[in-house]
Amino acid sequence: MARYVFITGGVVSSLGKGLAAAALGAVLQARGFKVRLRKLDPYINVDPGLMSPYQHGEVYVTDDGAETDLDLGHYERFTGVPTSRRDNVTTGKLYLDIITKERRGDYLGATVQVIPHVTDAIKAFIRDGNEDVDVVVAEIGGTVGDIEGLPFFEAIRQLGNELGRERAAFIHLTLVPYITSAGELKTKPTQHSVKELRSIGIQPDIVLCRSDREIPEDERRKIALFCNVRPARVIQALDASNIYAVPAQYHAEGLDREVLSVFGIKDAPEPDLTHWHQVSHAYAHPEGTVRIAVVGKYVEIQDAYKSLREALDHGGIANNVHVEPEWIASEVFEAPDAIHRLEGVHGILVPGGFGERGAEGKIAAARFAREHLVPYFGICFGMQMAVIEVARHLAGLDGASSTEFGPCEHPVVGLLTEWMGPAGLEIRRAGGDLGGTMRLGAYEAVLRSGSRIAEIYGATRISERHRHRYEVNMEYRGVLEDAGLKVSGVSPDGLLPETVEIPDHPWFVGVQFHPELKSRPFDPHPLFASFIKAAVDQMRLV
Ligand code: GLN
C-alpha cells in the first residue's frame, strides 16, 4: 500500500518546494522505491493554460495533453516518471467538477460544502490510482496561512488520520534567513510558520530549512524545541551549487533516512546516487562555454522557459560544455541595427510563443541565422517564424504571415481547425473557447529517412508533446521546399507538418512540438544535444 509524503511551504514562496519534492522523490527512487509526485494548486484557474507566463511561469504539458504546473517538469526530470493529468489539480478544477456534479443532481439533495465535499475531492485526487506505487509525494502549492490553501491543508490533515502514522509524513519547508545587521540566522519565521500549521491541526514530522549558510546545532535544537519535532528531523537545505547536486545533498543531511523513519522503515537499502554525482560533476566541470541567443518574449522571467533552460543544460552536459543563454527580448530587433547583437553567438533559438508582439524580431533573428549560417533551432512558434522568414525572403511571398496576427495575403501559418486526436477527430472554430482547446499532448510524427532530423533521432517515428493552435500551411509546402526549406517530418496521416529543415545550412531545424519537455539530465534530448554540438562547432569556427 502506498505511503504518502505531504510537502507544505511556509515563510515565503519561491523556496523551491517543487525541486525539494522532486529531489526527495529521486533519492527514494534511488533506494528502490517506486515513486509518484503530485501537485495541488490552490488558485481558482482551472489549469495554468491561460495564465500569463509573467505570473505563473512555464506551462508544462503532459503526454495526455494536460496543461500543468511547471513543478511537474521537475518531477519528470528528476524521477523519469512521466506525469499525467492525474498529477496536478487546482481549486478551479475541483470546483468545476463538483459544480457539474451538483447540477446533474448527483448529490441527491445534500448541501454541498467545503468539508466534506471539497476535502473529499482533494483526498480522492491524492489517492487515485496509486496501487502500483510505494511512495506518493504530494506538494501543496502556496504557503501555509493562504486563505485559498485551507481546504487543501484540511484534506491532508484528514488523510494523515485516515492513513495512520506509518503511512503519512508531513514535511514543512521554511526559510531560515541570515540577518546581516545582527550577524545571525533567524529561526523565528520558521517557528511562526510551524505554529500556523499546527493551529490548523498539522504537526510536521520534518522541518526542512532553506538557508544560505550552515545552520548551527544550537539553532537546530531551538527549531526542534519550538516546533515540537525531533532535532534529527530539523534538516538544513543549503543553497546548492547546481540543482543536480540537491538529491545527494538531501541524502547527506538525512532527509530520506528521516522520512523512512517516520514510516517505520529501517531496512531500506542505501540509495545509489552514482548517476547524480556524475551528472552534477559533468555540469560543474565543462570544457568551454557556448553562447546561445534565446530570442523570446518573456525573457525577464526565469520560470517562463524553465524546461527550455534545463534542456539546454542537458545539451551542454551531453557535449561537455557550459551553455550560457543570452536572453533577448525579440522586440529589440525591430530597431534597425540591433541585429548586430547576434554577431558572435554560437546558436540562435526561438522558443514557443504567442501573439504578434515581437514576432517581426523573431523573424529577423531567423533570417540572421539562415544568412550567417549560425545554428538555428525554432521551437513551435520559432518554427512558424522561420517558415514566414523563408516564405518572405527566399520564396518571394512578401505578404507571408500567420493568421494568428490577422488576415494576410499568404497565410503560410494558419489556424488548425481539424485534426485526428487520440480520441478521434478534433474540430475547432475561430472565436471558440481558449482554455484547453489547443492541439495538446503527445502526437506521433513520421520523419523522412535521410533527413537531418531522422539522423538526429536515429529513428523515423517519434512521439513529442504539442501545444499550439496554428500550424504551417501545407498548401505552401511546394513553394517552401523549392525555396530550400524542407518539410522533413509530418503527422502519420501526412496532413500536418511537424518538422522543417534547411539541408543547405550547418544546422537549421524547426519543430512544431516542444522537445524541451522530454529532455532529462540522464537522457538529454537528441535535438538539444545535436543543437549544442552544432553550437560547439560554430564556436570553433569564430
Ligand atoms: N502561437 C502559436 C500557436 O498557437 C505557437 C504556440 C507555441 O509556440 N507553443 O500555434
Side-chain angles (χ1 to χ4, degrees), residues 352-355 379-381 384 404 438 467-470 514:
F354 293 84
I379 295 181
C380 207
F381 201 61
Q384 297 173 355
E404 183 169 356
M438 282 187 261
R467 181 173 186 251
H468 60 108
R469 212 178 290 285
Y470 297 83
H514 289 275

Side-chain angles (χ1 to χ4, degrees), residues 243-260:
I243 58 170
Y244 312 113
V246 177
Q249 193 173 314
Y250 279 1
H251 174 63
E253 297 291 347
L255 179 64
D256 48 327
R257 180 195 65 221
E258 291 306 320
V259 168
L260 295 176

Side-chain angles (χ1 to χ4, degrees), residues 38-39 47 61-68 72 76 82-90 93 125 128 436 440-441:
R38 288 194 161 148
K39 173 88 195 273
D47 61 39
V61 181
T62 58
D63 275 334
D64 62 351
E67 297 176 281
T68 71
L72 273 74
E76 281 203 18
T83 53
S84 80
R85 62 177 63 253
R86 290 159 90 182
D87 298 321
N88 187 202
V89 82
T90 68
K93 171 83 173 71
F125 169 81
D128 179 40
L440 286 167

Side-chain angles (χ1 to χ4, degrees), residues 296-298 330-331 334 350-363 381-382 384-385 388 401-406 438 469-470:
K297 186 156 49 174
Y298 319 105
S330 58
E331 277 172 306
E334 285 160 26
V350 176
F354 293 84
E356 190 167 16
R357 181 166 71 80
E360 290 301 325
K362 296 177 187 178
I363 294 169
F381 201 61
Q384 297 173 355
M385 295 307 105
I388 295 174
S401 189
S402 165
T403 59
E404 183 169 356
F405 317 143
M438 282 187 261
R469 212 178 290 285
Y470 297 83

Side-chain angles (χ1 to χ4, degrees), residues 39-120:
K39 173 88 195 273
L40 296 98
D41 280 308
Y43 54 73
I44 295 175
N45 305 64
V46 171
D47 61 39
L50 295 179
M51 289 164 88
S52 161
Y54 290 112
Q55 294 216 4
H56 194 265
E58 165 186 279
V59 174
Y60 190 78
V61 181
T62 58
D63 275 334
D64 62 351
E67 297 176 281
T68 71
D69 188 80
L70 56 78
D71 280 337
L72 273 74
H74 288 307
Y75 302 168
E76 281 203 18
R77 287 188 286 271
F78 271 65
T79 64
V81 178
T83 53
S84 80
R85 62 177 63 253
R86 290 159 90 182
D87 298 321
N88 187 202
V89 82
T90 68
T91 295
K93 171 83 173 71
L94 291 161
Y95 273 78
L96 186 66
D97 294 348
I98 288 170
I99 293 172
T100 307
K101 271 165 86 183
E102 190 275 336
R103 290 291 80 188
R104 259 198 328 246
D106 289 2
Y107 292 105
L108 306 174
T111 308
V112 183
Q113 295 181 296
V114 174
I115 305 173
H117 298 98
V118 176
T119 45
D120 279 356

